[in-house]
């Protein structure tokens, strides 16, 4: 019983942290640019497809792991490949912002939705053009599980999930450090809080926005990469559900709040796994995150850590 | 002057009812539109256009007209209108498959009732919210409903419910049976055509109703709420209650459209009627056609459904085609397809009278492209080499 509770909680953490990586990009884009990016899920899917090509190429270069140590080397190579795949999304995000998103900041909100929806549709076909319509799988999942993790404390649980949980936590820590301690991060926060003032002291808002959008795309792609090296394949429609769930997460956490997105992602992940595994209510699995969101919005409309336009 | 004609600004205006005055041009356009609507079955049988898709487009367009009531006047973006569309469709499906109701009229009443109750409940909960919170809250309720229907045996999970009772189509006020009995029409054709003409009649009635609502004191109050809630509150408008009523009204449009959609498809599955992206599509139809216009959402509905459902048979990359059309609407037609028409025709008129303007256009376009290229190059240079 306790063991299954731990397993379900770990499953929830794994799921939640994948969602956090996607939602973190969305929340910083929303917090700084004020754009609700519907194409964000497709950036996630693009990361998943890119990792198939890049990791597939890289793992061809290293030998099949034979022991624990070689398995760790293999895992490091896969992680580097995921980073490389996500890095491809940096210029993609920057180009999107500069060409498509920049002209519509001044327009009504609904046009942002229409524009990003158009980008979503175009991205689906870009991926169809690049990788075809059938799902692709990196097939590194079983090898990643050879990395010893939970065996050290005495029970067996897929190591891949543990790796994702660790990576997700590192991403959160890095983001907090970046926005809190670095100069660029502070400039971004200043721009989010007061655009006119930061322009007046010499910040180029255009460049800041491009940077933020590129960063958002990077983390969406990285989330996709981490999901795609797991048991599931990368497929064309994979962006839709995470997109909708990241809405839920950024609303529960408070729009634009990084800490909120982290807490909310874990809440959503753990609760949706507990509804099935612990409370035994599989018919509520899909609805649970939305019920949570509706309750939070009705009780505390600004979300758990609600801040408008500020990243905390 | 007769009862229907009035003189205004030296022009004769046609007045079909109190408050509604149309110029001669508008009368011609309206009549043309109505004739085109009634002629759709003949047009589609003579050309390669698809009858069923246009019918679906009109139904989604009707839901978009309802959404536009909210979007245009109270400036609230509802991202959960598929909830009412789906509620209408499932109202019809449940009544016919669980209670064996076969009268199309009763089924449609059931659809309206279900959608109204749902809109009342959701509207009560969301009426106090604004902007993005309103959009995401409606999205949440939509998705709760979708998840609930998808995982409930009563609604037969993902397979959905059939609208037939004992293998028969619902009867449409007896008109389709009458057609089959007297004219010997094929039952399927009779059913589809009768349903289409019923749709057109309902659509025209709903458009007139919308026009009435918009131009009533209630509609003006909604405008005031959209402009500034606090001010509306100060001048004595019960803001939350009015938003609640407007939300319910716009939900009813969705319910009617969804009910007719179920009668057309004869089978209701959760994904095509309840999924959150259907909500998005309904919203985009309104924007595509033109938020500021009454019939724009219908045009937007037909165009978007056509692109989403049928473009796949003509081009391999049909998503991209739809995306590019939407991009063009965002950047070239800022007020939607119908809303931008007057500006385009005025611009063309000016250029016809003064061809030198064309040369200015070319230089403006050239200069803006040059400037953008220069800025792009300098941005790339800064990214790679730094500011110095």
């Amino acid at each position: 019983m306790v063991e299954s509770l731990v397993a379900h909680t770990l499953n929830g953490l794994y799921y939640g942290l994948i969602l956090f990586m996607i939602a973190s990009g969305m929340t910083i884009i929303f917090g700084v640019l004020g754009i609700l990016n519907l194409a964000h899920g497709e950036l996630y899917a693009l990361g998943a497809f890119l990792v198939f090509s890049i990791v597939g190429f890289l793992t061809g270069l290293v030998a099949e792991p034979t022991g624990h140590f070689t398995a760790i080397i293999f895992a490091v190579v896969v992680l580097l490949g995921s980073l490389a795949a996500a890095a491809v999304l940096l210029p993609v995000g920057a180009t999107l912002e500069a060409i498509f998103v920049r002209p519509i900041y001044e327009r009504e909100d609904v046009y942002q939705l229409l524009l990003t929806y158009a980008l979503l549709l175009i991205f689906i076909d870009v991926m169809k053009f690049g990788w075809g319509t059938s799902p692709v799988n990196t097939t590194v999942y079983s090898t990643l599980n050879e990395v010893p993790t939970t065996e050290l404390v005495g029970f067996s649980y897929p190591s891949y999930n543990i790796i994702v949980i660790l990576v997700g936590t590192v991403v959160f820590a890095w983001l907090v450090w970046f926005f809190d301690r670095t100069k660029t991060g502070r400039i971004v926060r200043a721009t989010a809080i007061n655009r006119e003032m930061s322009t007046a002291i010499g910040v180029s808002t255009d460049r800041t926005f491009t940077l933020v959008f590129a960063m958002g795309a990077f983390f969406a792609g990285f989330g996709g990469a981490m999901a795609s090296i797991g048991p599931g394949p990368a497929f064309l429609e994979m962006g839709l559900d995470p997109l909708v769930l990241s809405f839920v997460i950024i609303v529960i956490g408070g729009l634009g709040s990084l800490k909120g997105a982290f807490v909310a992602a874990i809440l959503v992940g753990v609760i949706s796994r507990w509804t099935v595994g612990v409370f035994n209510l599989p018919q509520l699995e899909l609805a649970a995150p939305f019920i949570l969101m509706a309750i939070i919005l009705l009780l505390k409309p600004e979300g758990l850590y609600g801040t408008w336009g500020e990243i905390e | 002057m007769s009862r229907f004609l009035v003189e205004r600004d030296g022009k004769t205006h046609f007045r079909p009812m109190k408050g509604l005055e149309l110029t001669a041009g508008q009368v011609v356009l309206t009549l043309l539109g109505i004739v085109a609507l009634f002629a759709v079955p003949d047009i589609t049988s003579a050309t390669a256009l698809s009858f069923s898709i246009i019918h679906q487009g009109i139904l989604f367009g009707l839901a978009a007209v309802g959404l536009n009531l909210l979007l245009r006047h109270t400036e609230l973006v509802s991202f959960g209108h598929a909830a009412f569309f789906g509620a209408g469709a499932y109202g019809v499906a449940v009544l016919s498959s669980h209670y064996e109701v076969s009268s199309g009229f009763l089924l449609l009443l059931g659809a309206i009732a279900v959608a109204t109750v749902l809109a009342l409940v959701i509207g009560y909960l969301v009426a106090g919210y604004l902007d993005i919170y309103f959009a995401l809250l409606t999205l949440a309720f939509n998705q709760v409903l979708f998840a609930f229907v998808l995982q409930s045996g009563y609604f037969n999970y993902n397979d959905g419910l059939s609208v037939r009772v004992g293998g028969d189509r619902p009867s449409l006020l007896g008109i389709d049976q009458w057609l089959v009995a007297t004219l010997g029409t094929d039952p399927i054709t009779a059913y589809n055509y009768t349903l289409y003409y019923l749709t057109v009649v309902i659509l025209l009635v709903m458009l007139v109703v919308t026009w009435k609502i918009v131009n009533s004191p209630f509609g003006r109050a909604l405008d005031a709420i959209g402009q500034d809630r606090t001010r509306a509150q100060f001048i004595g408008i019960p803001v939350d209650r009015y938003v609640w009523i407007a939300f319910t009204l716009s939900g009813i449009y969705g319910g009617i459209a969804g009910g007719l959609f179920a009668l057309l498809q004869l089978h209701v599955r959760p994904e095509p009627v309840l999924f959150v992206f259907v909500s998005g599509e309904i919203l985009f139809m309104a924007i595509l056609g033109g938020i500021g216009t009454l019939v724009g959402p219908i045009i937007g509905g037909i165009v978007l459904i056509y692109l989403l459902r049928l473009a796949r048979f003509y081009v391999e990359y049909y998503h991209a085609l739809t995306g590019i059309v939407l991009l063009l609407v965002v950047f070239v037609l800022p007020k939607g397809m119908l809303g931008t028409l007057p500006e385009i025709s005025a611009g063309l008129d000016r250029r016809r009278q003064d061809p030198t303007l064309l040369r200015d256009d070319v230089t403006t376009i050239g200069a803006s492209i040059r400037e953008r290229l220069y800025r792009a190059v300098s941005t790339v240079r800064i990214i790679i080499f730094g500011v110095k």
Side-chain angles (χ1 to χ4, degrees):
Chain A
M1 180 62 210
V2 176
E3 196 143 299
S4 88
L5 180 68
V6 171
H8 286 303
T9 313
L10 282 174
N11 279 340
L13 279 177
Y14 151 72
Y15 184 46
L17 282 161
I18 291 264
L19 289 176
F20 167 71
M21 285 186 251
I22 311 159
S24 66
M26 185 174 246
T27 203
I28 57 176
I29 291 179
F30 187 84
V32 181
L33 279 66
I35 298 271
L36 199 60
N37 182 14
L38 290 181
H40 209 71
E42 298 316 310
L43 298 172
Y44 160 81
L46 187 60
F49 276 105
L50 281 168
V51 92
F52 165 75
S53 300
I54 293 176
V55 168
F57 174 73
L58 286 180
T59 50
L61 298 179
V62 291
E64 269 301 289
T66 47
H68 287 334
F69 181 67
T70 43
I72 290 173
I73 292 180
F74 184 82
V76 169
V77 169
V78 170
L79 279 181
L80 288 178
S82 307
L83 276 175
V88 175
L89 281 151
L90 282 171
V92 171
T95 319
L96 281 186
E97 200 275 341
I99 294 177
F100 296 109
V101 184
R102 193 175 293 166
I104 58 153
Y105 288 127
E106 304 301 318
R107 305 264 295 273
E108 281 174 59
D109 291 350
V110 282
Y111 288 100
Q112 304 169 0
L113 294 175
L114 190 61
L115 174 92
T116 48
Y117 179 66
L119 292 178
L120 177 157
L121 291 173
I122 293 174
F123 261 107
I124 288 181
D125 272 0
V126 168
M127 287 180 287
K128 192 158 100 181
F129 179 74
W131 288 273
T133 45
S134 43
V136 296
N137 202 329
T138 44
T139 64
V140 293
Y141 175 64
S142 55
T143 324
L144 283 180
N145 281 333
E146 285 171 24
V147 178
T149 49
T150 47
E151 298 84 63
L152 304 177
V153 285
F155 73 104
S156 103
Y157 184 76
S159 295
Y160 157 74
N161 294 21
I162 303 285
I163 295 173
V164 170
I165 291 173
L166 291 178
V167 168
T169 319
V170 169
V171 164
F172 173 62
W174 186 85
L175 279 170
V176 169
W177 172 80
F178 175 78
F179 284 114
D180 216 34
R181 297 273 173 243
T182 64
K183 191 181 172 192
T184 322
R186 287 175 181 167
I187 289 177
V188 170
R189 264 166 59 210
T191 320
I193 295 166
N194 193 332
R195 268 179 222 185
E196 284 175 17
M197 194 60 209
S198 37
T199 319
I201 56 173
V203 172
S204 160
T205 44
D206 278 0
R207 238 167 278 149
T208 315
F209 285 3
T210 311
L211 172 79
V212 168
F213 204 95
M215 267 180 70
F218 174 85
F219 285 110
F222 193 56
M226 293 313 287
S228 171
I229 57 174
F235 53 99
L236 283 179
E237 296 83 15
M238 73 184 292
L240 299 186
D241 284 337
L243 170 74
V244 179
L245 281 176
S246 30
F247 284 160
V248 172
I249 286 163
I250 67 173
V251 168
I252 292 177
L255 293 164
S257 161
L258 206 53
K259 206 197 308 169
F262 186 70
V263 174
I266 287 176
L267 264 181
V268 166
V270 172
I271 283 179
S272 63
R273 286 296 169 266
W274 276 5
T275 21
V276 184
V278 182
F279 307 129
N280 216 355
L281 294 165
Q283 66 273 28
L284 278 184
E285 188 200 352
L286 289 175
F290 298 95
I291 295 174
L292 184 69
M293 163 170 159
I295 293 172
I296 298 256
L297 267 181
L298 294 172
L299 296 179
K300 203 166 179 299
E302 70 280 8
L304 295 175
Y305 297 89
T307 43
W308 264 104
E310 287 181 44
I311 290 173
E312 277 196 349
Chain B
M1 284 283 129
S2 75
R3 202 178 144 265
F4 291 115
L5 295 174
V6 283
E7 200 76 38
R8 189 77 33 105
D9 305 331
K11 278 186 194 151
T12 315
H13 288 240
F14 178 68
R15 189 171 70 168
M17 61 183 172
K18 194 164 168 279
L20 178 58
E21 286 167 13
L22 301 167
T23 60
Q26 284 169 324
V27 171
V28 172
L29 279 180
T30 316
L31 288 178
L32 267 182
I34 294 173
V35 168
L37 269 179
F38 276 103
V40 160
D42 304 308
I43 298 172
T44 48
S45 62
T47 58
L49 294 166
S50 162
F51 175 52
S52 145
I53 295 292
I54 291 183
H55 194 167
Q56 287 182 32
I58 291 175
L59 292 176
F60 276 100
L62 180 59
V65 170
L67 176 123
N68 196 23
L69 190 67
L70 216 54
L71 184 63
R72 178 182 178 187
H73 300 284
T74 57
E75 306 212 340
L76 290 168
V77 182
S78 165
F79 216 92
H81 245 61
F84 311 118
F85 195 86
Y90 266 97
V92 167
V94 165
L95 276 181
S96 60
S97 61
H98 288 322
Y99 300 98
E100 306 201 335
V101 179
S102 65
S103 149
F105 179 67
L106 285 181
L107 288 175
L108 209 52
L109 277 188
I112 296 172
V114 174
T116 314
V117 171
L118 191 70
L120 277 172
V121 174
I122 297 181
Y124 177 75
L125 294 170
V126 301
Y129 294 86
L130 276 170
D131 302 328
I132 200 82
Y133 290 107
F134 183 87
L136 290 170
L137 202 52
T138 46
L139 179 145
F141 284 115
N142 182 180
Q143 200 63 1
V144 168
L145 205 66
F146 173 70
F148 177 68
V149 168
L150 190 65
Q151 295 184 322
S152 148
Y154 187 70
F155 298 107
N156 199 12
Y157 309 106
N158 195 22
D159 293 334
L161 297 169
S162 167
V163 183
R164 295 164 199 257
V165 180
D168 287 334
R169 294 181 165 73
S171 82
L172 301 168
L173 308 170
I175 300 173
D176 51 333
Q177 281 96 335
W178 179 81
L179 278 177
V180 175
T182 51
L183 301 177
T185 331
D186 170 42
I188 300 174
T189 326
Y191 178 83
N192 284 342
Y193 278 35
T194 316
L195 188 64
Y196 177 77
Y197 285 116
L198 276 179
T199 308
V200 171
V201 171
I202 291 175
L203 173 73
L204 292 175
V205 171
M206 292 311 282
L207 284 177
V208 173
V209 169
T210 317
W211 193 88
K212 274 292 200 190
I213 294 174
V214 169
N215 289 287
S216 66
F218 174 69
R220 304 280 182 232
L222 291 185
D223 279 332
I225 292 170
Q227 282 170 16
D228 192 329
R229 284 206 169 196
T230 321
R231 194 168 60 198
Q233 195 100 51
F234 280 165
I235 57 174
I237 298 170
V239 171
D240 284 2
R241 203 186 323 148
Y242 271 28
V243 171
W244 185 23
I245 297 172
F247 190 84
T248 311
L249 284 175
S250 83
I252 292 173
Y253 285 77
I256 295 174
L260 286 168
F261 185 75
L263 289 177
L264 170 68
Q265 298 290 72
L266 295 170
H267 190 94
V268 179
R269 284 184 55 245
E271 205 137 305
V273 297
L274 264 176
F275 192 54
V276 36
F277 271 85
V278 180
S279 291
E281 281 161 24
I282 295 177
L283 176 64
F284 301 139
M285 286 165 194
I287 309 170
L288 188 65
I291 301 170
T293 58
L294 182 65
V295 290
I298 309 264
I299 309 282
I302 296 173
V303 172
L304 193 60
I305 290 290
Y306 221 99
L307 282 170
L308 288 172
R309 302 281 152 82
L310 276 194
R312 71 184 68 195
F313 299 116
Y314 302 112
V315 273
E316 194 183 351
Y317 298 106
Y318 57 96
H319 281 124
L321 177 72
T322 315
I324 289 166
V325 169
L326 295 181
L327 275 185
L328 282 179
V329 168
V330 171
F331 290 115
V332 187
L333 307 171
K335 287 180 185 162
M337 295 166 71
L338 221 60
T340 325
L341 271 186
E343 282 174 33
I344 293 178
S345 64
L348 283 180
D349 257 3
R350 259 206 318 278
R351 274 160 192 70
R352 210 171 29 237
Q353 283 159 12
D354 184 6
T356 51
L357 279 174
L358 272 176
R359 206 171 52 221
D360 297 351
D361 291 342
V362 174
T363 44
T364 323
I365 292 171
S368 85
I369 290 177
R370 260 203 311 280
E371 190 204 358
R372 295 229 174 139
L373 279 178
Y374 175 75
R375 276 179 55 187
V377 168
S378 69
T379 308
V380 169
R381 202 193 63 222
I382 288 170
I383 288 173
I384 297 174
F385 300 108
V387 182
K388 288 165 201 160

